[in-house]
Amino acid sequence: MSALSAVPPVSKLLRPVVRTVPVAAVLAAFIHLARGGFRGLLTLGWTDAYIVLFLLAGLGLAAWRRFTRGAVGAPLYFRDDLEMGGLLIAASFIVVAIAGGAVFPLIYLLMAFLVAFLPRNAGMALLGLALAFDAIISLQGPERSVTSFLTHALFLSLFAGLYHLVLAARIAAARHAESSAVEKRIKEVEERARTFRLVSSGSHDNPPDVKDEEKWLLASVKEIEGAVGAGLEIAETALRTHTCAAFLLTSDDKGLKLYDCRSMSDRVQRETFNSGEGVLGGVLKRRAPVRMHSAHGLKGITWYDGAPTMGAVLAVPIIESGSGLVRGVLVADRLTHNPFSDDDEKLLTTIAAEVLRSIEVERVMTYIRKTRDEKDRFFRAIEELNRAGSPDQVFLAVLESARQLAGLDFSAVTIVQEVDGKRVHKVARMLGVAAQGSKALEGRSFPDNNGLVANVVRYGAPLPGRDLKAMDRQVIFDEETQIRGLGALKIFPLTAGDRILGTLVAGSRRKAALDHDVLRMLEVIAIQAAQAVLRAQLYEQMERMATTDGMTGLYNNRTFQAKADEMLAHSRRYGRKCSLMLTDVDHFKSVNDTYGHLTGDQVLKGVARILKEHARDTDIVARYGGEEFAILLPETDAKGAKVIAERIREAIKAEVFQTEMGPLRITLSLGIATAPDHGTDKLVLVEQADQCLYYAKRHGRNQSVTVAEAQGGRKLQAVEG
């Protein structure tokens, strides 16, 4: 590389120098003000002029940098904001220093502008810079007014914080107004949906997607609004009316409320009024059209707020074709004495039928959508049950599925088992807060009794079969558990083939929640749940058979090997202690020869039980083979393992086994090795523990020996085959 090519370009050398110009200009202005510069227009000199030019150059460079970065879409950094704001503040304080305190409000306006358009952290930093400039002006010179500085500081802080406070308040107010408007619109849509009978008046169902439900209702209501509006426009044009309006019955059928109208008057009744009064009340009662006219004005005009004089009225009922129920009234009126004709009545009746048809179409579409959603939820529930692996997963999937399908306030799954020949029920999982002490209820067992759960298992049929009012004191689980406030309850058996595995308890505060369709779906869910529980139980049983020893219930040798690999890998990774204990029943062959193999099996089961009882929850206890057992002790050094081994040995020594040939006592020998002290490889650690075990047996038995103790006694010998 040549010497010429090693010299950086001139632009690269000038760039950092140019980059420091804005900061240097602010610093120069600050120092000059602190030394008494810019103290009046008549006292300005060349130094003042140079600093002003320097400041203008810095402003130009900062503005150019912001422009170029904005043109290419590059982000602006904290330093860029500080440079531009600092230059503007320095320039403003120079103006104040020259012109006097009368122009200080310029600083307030500038500060309000900066905090409005710059990020909050930059605005606060610039506020500190402005206070520093104000300090050197207010606290120097002949005045040296501390009061002036404090006043300026207070107002600068107010101007800086005022924008954020006002902005936050405006945002909060806007959000509140938007939320209120949305909520009001949703309530209006829901009310109109109930008026159209798109949803039931007492419906409190919780669909899985409320937003989706709102969209459907809004679309349905808008479709009906369009049909009603088009019909009214046709009637207004064809009949030449003063007012043409649609009044629909409220959801309780006690009032009429204006739905839409085309009128020349602004006094059409907007509030709900009694549906049994006046001309419209007569139409609803007679369920037939009414035509009236009079040159002197008509009475019974209730659809105006302050009735004008009407010369002619035509009103037709909106009647459902299938059920014959009246849903509202379509009314047309004229101020002049110009009676409506038969053709006018026929036209308005046709429009009323068209309005009703649009409502019925949307009602059918709503029913189809609701049915589709219920089926989707039902099939998703079945899929969740089929995916569940363990019984706990099955229980949770069952309860979640039941809650979504039926909107349950309380649900539970119980499991029945045979214990000592007696039937015992257990609350495996529950959801809801209707039960007193509901947290204690989950996992609770209770014996067979005359409660509903026990009877469902006993008879294999859903219960109860009568109204819940007649059974307020009926026992559901047992006498100690009471559930209050339910309006509907059903308990289904979990039946798999000819076996009843437990029950599904479904309860709701709403009486109409468990209708025929919901009960049918819950019944199918219970059948699928029973199959899923049975599969999960069989899987657990197979897994237990594959990982445990059939006679002792401890882990088998294969599982022990896998657990040992995991534990030693953890020990190597984190440098933690881990001990291995191998045990052997002393003179076990003579036990089999003297007392028989049945007694020998009894002894092995007793030893396994004692090992499990005296080991810690984190320890792995396994049957190693024959009369040998192994214990893995994580996070345990040789000293701690020795304490546990002695506790086990003493417990075995104190145990008395009752046999046909009399009482039998046995002893245990134990060998202990610890990783990483005696090796980190599994085979090495097993070999060390095995040698300690044989050392214990060759030196008197009924003792526990660590590697250190064996090495201290004598040199370890290889185990002979």
Side-chain angles (χ1 to χ4, degrees), residues 158-237:
L158 286 176
F159 271 88
L162 189 60
Y163 170 78
H164 290 290
L165 291 176
V166 172
L167 180 62
R170 287 181 62 85
I171 291 175
R175 287 178 177 173
H176 178 72
E178 181 182 1
S179 177
S180 299
V182 171
E183 185 177 354
K184 182 179 179 181
R185 178 55 178 162
I186 290 173
K187 288 182 178 179
E188 180 183 344
V189 168
E190 289 177 348
E191 179 60 32
R192 291 197 169 187
R194 282 190 287 271
T195 302
F196 298 145
R197 273 59 174 180
L198 298 178
V199 295
S200 61
S201 59
S203 176
H204 297 285
D205 295 338
N206 295 318
D209 190 344
V210 177
K211 294 297 183 183
D212 185 56
E213 179 77 6
E214 291 173 359
K215 290 177 182 178
W216 272 94
L217 284 180
L218 183 61
S220 298
V221 170
K222 281 186 172 294
E223 191 69 26
I224 297 172
E225 287 175 347
V228 174
L232 293 178
E233 288 181 1
I234 293 172
E236 180 190 28
T237 303

Side-chain angles (χ1 to χ4, degrees), residues 8 69 91 99 151 173 188 201 252 267 304 311 328 338 341 382 406 417 428 459 466 579 593 604 642 683 703:
R69 292 184 68 83
T151 303
E188 180 183 344
S201 59
D252 58 3
R267 302 181 67 182
Y304 285 98
N338 182 13
S341 65
I382 299 299
Q417 297 174 329
Y459 301 117
R466 58 187 184 275
S579 293
D593 293 342
L604 292 178
K642 176 75 173 181
L683 295 178
Q703 59 181 311

Side-chain angles (χ1 to χ4, degrees), residues 305-318:
D305 183 12
T309 302
M310 285 294 153
V313 171
L314 170 62
V316 299
I318 302 174

Side-chain angles (χ1 to χ4, degrees), residues 1-200:
M1 182 180 292
S2 64
L4 183 61
S5 63
V7 178
V10 176
S11 61
K12 289 186 177 182
L13 292 175
L14 290 177
R15 187 176 301 167
V17 176
V18 173
R19 192 71 180 87
T20 61
V21 169
V23 177
V26 173
L27 186 60
F30 184 84
I31 294 173
H32 193 60
L33 282 169
R35 297 177 64 182
F38 303 109
R39 291 303 178 181
L41 186 62
L42 299 177
T43 61
L44 294 178
W46 287 107
T47 303
D48 301 316
Y50 291 146
I51 291 177
V52 169
L53 291 175
F54 194 21
L55 201 63
L56 292 175
L59 275 170
L61 290 173
W64 174 253
R65 177 176 174 79
R66 295 178 73 89
F67 174 77
T68 55
R69 292 184 68 83
V72 298
L76 294 171
Y77 298 109
F78 180 68
R79 177 178 177 178
D80 299 319
D81 295 330
L82 285 186
E83 287 178 352
M84 178 58 72
L87 289 165
L88 292 174
I89 289 174
S92 300
F93 271 98
I94 289 175
V95 173
V96 170
I98 295 174
V103 297
F104 197 88
L106 175 67
I107 306 296
Y108 298 148
L109 295 176
L110 175 63
M111 185 54 59
F113 172 81
L114 292 176
V115 298
F117 291 96
L118 296 180
R120 181 177 300 179
N121 55 353
M124 294 302 101
L126 292 174
L127 173 61
L129 181 63
L131 292 175
F133 269 98
D134 187 36
I136 62 173
I137 293 177
S138 301
L139 301 179
Q140 291 188 11
E143 298 87 1
R144 296 194 178 191
S145 175
V146 176
T147 303
S148 175
F149 169 70
L150 294 177
T151 303
H152 291 167
L154 175 62
F155 279 96
L156 280 172
S157 301
L158 286 176
F159 271 88
L162 189 60
Y163 170 78
H164 290 290
L165 291 176
V166 172
L167 180 62
R170 287 181 62 85
I171 291 175
R175 287 178 177 173
H176 178 72
E178 181 182 1
S179 177
S180 299
V182 171
E183 185 177 354
K184 182 179 179 181
R185 178 55 178 162
I186 290 173
K187 288 182 178 179
E188 180 183 344
V189 168
E190 289 177 348
E191 179 60 32
R192 291 197 169 187
R194 282 190 287 271
T195 302
F196 298 145
R197 273 59 174 180
L198 298 178
V199 295
S200 61

